[in-house]
Amino acid sequence: MTKPATPLPIIATTVAASFGFGIVQLDVTIVNVALPTIARQLGTTVAGLQWVVDAYALAFAALLLTGGYIGDRWGARRGYLTGIVMFALASSACGFASDAALLIAGRVLQGVGAALMLPCSLALINHAAAGHPERRAMAVGWWTAVGGITVAAGPIVGGLLIGVTSWRSIFLVNLPVCAVAVWLTLKCKETQRPAFRRGFDVPGQLLGVIALSAAIGAVIEVQPLGPGNPLVWICASIGAAASIAFVYRQTRAQAPMLPLSLFKSRIFCGAVIFGSIANFTYYGIVFVLSLYLQRVLGYTPAVAGLAFLPLTATFLVVNIVSGWWVGKAGSRAPMTTGALIEAVGFSLLAIVATASVPYWQLAIAFVMMPGGMGLGVPAMTTAVLADVERERSGIAAAVLNAARQAAGAMGVALFGALAGDEPHHVVAGLKTSAIIAAGLLITAGAIAAKAMAKKKAVDVRRPEVC
């Protein structure tokens, strides 16, 4: 059994990993509050705005498995540093984009950098805390807390920056943050690499990109083109065919990019489904809420950003509580409890959302939604790390987060299509989306309860799992 790591290396690595992960998560939502301003200045529709959001999420999701592979093969620190530098360059491209097409291209490059950063950051923590499960649970709790806080803080930060400068500042602010992240990461130790280095599945990677892009593109274009448009059906058909081909390829490839053996674990499967539902519902709703607050309730970007403040504060507290709870009791209870709390929050949102709702009624839902997610996601992540061999932590984290990011992109595509452009459509779309989200989260809670039941692998108190 590995000798327990001392607290100082774990703390230092957690800070460095959380710093970069925070940047990645911030750019998932910071753009949301700027969408109406971007639409006016660059002349684009809701479908164009969905691409601005989903271009990042698509590249992020499609290349996360590659990021996990690179982290396992090159070493997590080297992969993490490469991702940070790439992310900084892409942020510059977004900040100086002169039209919507260039902005979308920059967002794609941001997603490539993020795909390197996320699995490598989690692998750094897993290696630093090897042999000490309780400290690992707490480190993952803090790591997830930073990501959750920055996701929730994105609209706030974006709104304040737009109020002071312009929408371009929401991308340029990444540059000094990336510089600090590089400095912190250079102080971390490189991870051990496995003696056997698997090859890279190029056909699998291409099929994965095609499947995700075509499927999400079909959903996004339903609203502007109509469900009967041939282009929509062509994209849907390509997405379905590429998905089938991708799975087939993974069963035949000598070195598959998606190790299907991971899915033999009930814990891993349950965590992937749980995380996918969490991202699908949360990111999809936040996209629609950004339109709702400004186009329906008439909030300015700065006020709309501040309206999301309860989400940030709740994430901060609850993620830390989740890390402590998982370290004491395992993953099952935080995951199931979190899913049910979040489902109640979405149900309340569906009830109170109107064209003239008082903010305090929205605030109740704004506390419960991140409260539930903040309990469940750290527990889910810790369960995966405890369930896989340490040498496979990079690829396991990549598979988990690829599924989550793909689901988040699909949530934006579907819920955005339900909302449309007109204010009354936005209200109806928000209500429908919230009802769908509540039902899915109840399902996620049931899946977590069954997947994590009586499985010693998720008891993070046992050092043998490392």
Side-chain angles (χ1 to χ4, degrees), residues 67-459:
Y69 165 83
I70 290 173
D72 286 345
R73 180 158 185 168
W74 290 4
R77 192 183 81 146
R78 187 177 289 110
Y80 189 53
L81 286 169
T82 303
I84 294 171
V85 172
M86 186 177 297
F87 195 89
L89 295 174
S91 297
S92 298
C94 291
F96 294 106
S98 58
D99 56 42
L102 290 175
L103 176 58
I104 292 170
R107 292 283 283 170
V108 170
L109 294 178
Q110 276 190 314
V112 175
L116 269 175
M117 293 166 68
L118 190 148
C120 292
S121 69
L122 199 53
L124 282 172
I125 291 176
N126 202 37
H127 280 258
H132 208 304
E134 288 190 15
R135 287 178 184 162
R136 179 182 58 195
M138 291 300 295
V140 170
W142 280 104
W143 177 86
T144 311
V146 171
I149 291 165
T150 51
V151 163
I156 302 172
V157 175
L160 294 176
L161 286 174
I162 294 169
V164 174
T165 56
S166 74
W167 64 266
R168 299 181 185 279
S169 62
I170 66 176
F171 299 110
L172 298 178
V173 73
N174 291 333
L175 302 184
V177 180
C178 286
V180 175
V182 168
W183 177 73
L184 290 171
T185 307
L186 288 173
K187 299 178 180 295
C188 298
K189 291 183 178 181
E190 183 58 277
T191 59
Q192 295 179 351
R193 286 170 279 178
F196 173 73
R197 298 184 180 182
R198 59 192 178 91
F200 180 59
D201 182 18
V202 175
Q205 176 65 85
L206 293 175
L207 287 169
V209 172
I210 293 170
L212 281 175
S213 301
I216 292 174
V219 176
I220 289 177
E221 296 302 329
V222 163
Q223 198 273 333
L225 298 180
N229 189 280
L231 181 60
V232 172
W233 283 100
I234 289 172
C235 287
S237 299
I238 292 174
S243 298
I244 295 170
F246 174 79
V247 174
Y248 179 80
R249 168 68 188 178
Q250 300 314 290
T251 64
R252 297 293 187 271
Q254 291 184 345
M257 64 175 294
L258 174 59
L260 297 180
S261 59
L262 289 172
F263 291 94
K264 293 179 180 179
S265 165
R266 187 175 68 182
I267 294 172
F268 186 82
C269 289
V272 168
I273 296 171
F274 183 94
S276 297
I277 292 175
N279 275 40
F280 178 90
T281 55
Y282 187 81
Y283 292 153
I285 287 291
V286 167
F287 177 86
V288 180
L289 279 174
S290 299
L291 301 176
Y292 171 74
L293 292 175
Q294 295 183 65
R295 291 187 172 179
V296 178
L297 299 185
Y299 292 4
T300 65
V303 174
L306 291 173
F308 284 97
L309 186 59
L311 283 78
T312 307
T314 306
F315 263 123
L316 174 61
V317 175
V318 176
N319 273 168
I320 297 171
V321 171
S322 178
W324 171 83
W325 193 359
V326 173
K328 296 296 181 182
S331 297
R332 186 188 187 202
M335 289 175 70
T336 53
T337 304
L340 294 177
I341 291 173
E342 195 173 0
V344 172
F346 282 120
S347 299
L348 288 175
L349 182 63
I351 293 170
V352 304
T354 63
S356 58
V357 60
Y359 175 72
W360 68 267
Q361 293 183 15
L362 291 174
I364 298 174
F366 284 7
V367 168
M368 299 192 74
M369 291 187 300
M373 190 173 185
L375 277 178
V377 171
M380 170 204 71
T381 306
T382 304
V384 169
L385 291 182
D387 192 50
V388 301
E389 302 90 345
R390 188 154 52 96
E391 292 76 13
R392 303 181 79 190
S393 59
I395 189 63
V399 172
L400 172 64
N401 286 287
R404 292 180 61 199
Q405 294 302 322
M410 186 60 74
V412 170
L414 179 60
F415 290 174
L418 291 173
D421 286 290
E422 298 299 324
H424 65 283
H425 289 155
V426 172
V427 174
L430 178 59
K431 285 180 172 291
T432 302
S433 299
I435 292 170
I436 294 171
L440 288 173
L441 284 161
I442 292 172
T443 303
I447 290 171
K450 184 175 182 179
M452 308 295 159
K454 299 180 182 179
K455 295 292 288 186
K456 293 182 179 179
V458 296
D459 185 353

